[in-house]
Amino acid sequence: MKNSEEWKRYKRPPSEQEYSEDVSQLRHGLNVEPSREELNHLPKACCPLWELDLNRLLPGNDYTIECGQGKKVYQKGDMASENLFSWLKDDVLRRPTYCRFCALVDNYNPRQGYKELVTQQDKNEEAAFIEEIARSAPIKYLHRYLVLKGITSQDQKDFKKMLASLWFNLYGRGDALVALLPLSMSL
């Protein structure tokens, strides 16, 4: 399948999408139930997120990066002479979660002070991304963790709506700072 055909597949409305299989805890031997210790100590809860990610990329196997010489906070511009990723395995951008993430990249205007235009296709891509990642073990673990902590609903649809809201709802970028300026001057 050509890349352009592959990308078009991810541009369809969510109801017409093909998603990965739900991660089967039994098939992969994955436990997405947080332990008492993980519930009581946030840093311990972060380890399973990493361990449950069967889709994570491995340096040297899936990609190679060129870190360059680094730079100081005050330096402008890119100090690296090469691209950050000097090599990426051919199949990486065909993996469903990565492909769906890449479909989101062109949805945003990076210029501050300009209004975002959110199209129906953008909304479809957002919904498809949420649906895809919700099938992954790390997000299933996260959902259980938040349910047990009383932070979110046990209902999967409500959880997906919360993720979509947190990640994709727009916020003001231009006028908010101007509105706060008089307040900060009086302090």
Side-chain angles (χ1 to χ4, degrees):
M1 185 184 295
K2 292 182 181 175
N3 277 344
S4 62
E5 290 175 23
E6 227 171 305
W7 282 100
K8 286 179 188 174
R9 197 174 70 176
Y10 294 109
K11 301 282 185 185
R12 296 185 304 212
S15 61
E16 297 174 18
Q17 296 278 344
E18 295 171 25
Y19 296 101
S20 300
E21 272 185 49
D22 280 343
V23 173
S24 169
Q25 297 159 358
L26 296 174
R27 194 176 83 205
H28 294 290
L30 301 175
N31 180 11
V32 296
E33 192 68 26
S35 70
R36 176 70 51 212
E37 187 178 17
E38 291 161 357
L39 288 168
N40 291 329
H41 194 64
L42 182 60
K44 291 197 186 283
C46 293
C47 290
L49 289 172
W50 180 260
E51 293 163 3
L52 288 168
D53 187 2
L54 302 177
N55 195 35
R56 75 173 172 265
L57 302 182
L58 301 172
N61 185 49
D62 297 307
Y63 68 92
T64 305
I65 60 171
E66 175 58 53
C67 295
Q69 61 183 353
K71 70 181 215 175
K72 306 289 184 213
V73 174
Y74 58 83
Q75 292 175 311
K76 301 286 183 202
D78 189 351
M79 302 301 290
S81 60
E82 301 292 326
N83 290 331
L84 177 61
F85 288 92
S86 57
W87 174 77
L88 185 65
K89 196 175 194 176
D90 290 338
D91 75 331
V92 167
L93 296 180
R94 288 191 296 272
R95 296 180 187 181
T97 51
Y98 291 90
C99 207
R100 291 187 195 282
F101 175 78
C102 287
L104 298 171
V105 174
D106 67 353
N107 293 2
Y108 304 99
N109 182 352
R111 296 179 59 198
Q112 185 176 356
Y114 289 84
K115 186 176 180 172
E116 293 283 351
L117 174 64
V118 181
T119 67
Q120 186 58 50
Q121 181 172 321
D122 294 344
K123 291 177 184 179
N124 291 345
E125 291 166 2
E126 292 168 1
F129 177 75
I130 294 292
E131 183 61 38
E132 191 70 57
I133 65 163
R135 295 164 180 268
S136 71
I139 299 300
K140 286 177 181 268
Y141 175 90
L142 173 66
H143 183 219
R144 285 297 300 148
Y145 180 89
L146 295 175
V147 166
L148 293 170
K149 294 295 265 183
I151 296 171
T152 193
S153 166
Q154 191 160 347
D155 183 68
Q156 187 77 355
K157 286 182 182 179
D158 290 343
F159 177 63
K160 290 180 207 176
K161 284 180 189 175
M162 182 186 79
L163 288 179
S165 173
L166 288 170
W167 289 349
F168 299 120
N169 281 1
L170 299 177
Y171 60 91
R173 296 196 289 185
D175 297 337
L177 185 59
V178 174
L180 292 175
L181 199 54
L183 176 64
S184 65
M185 289 179 168
S186 65
L187 296 176

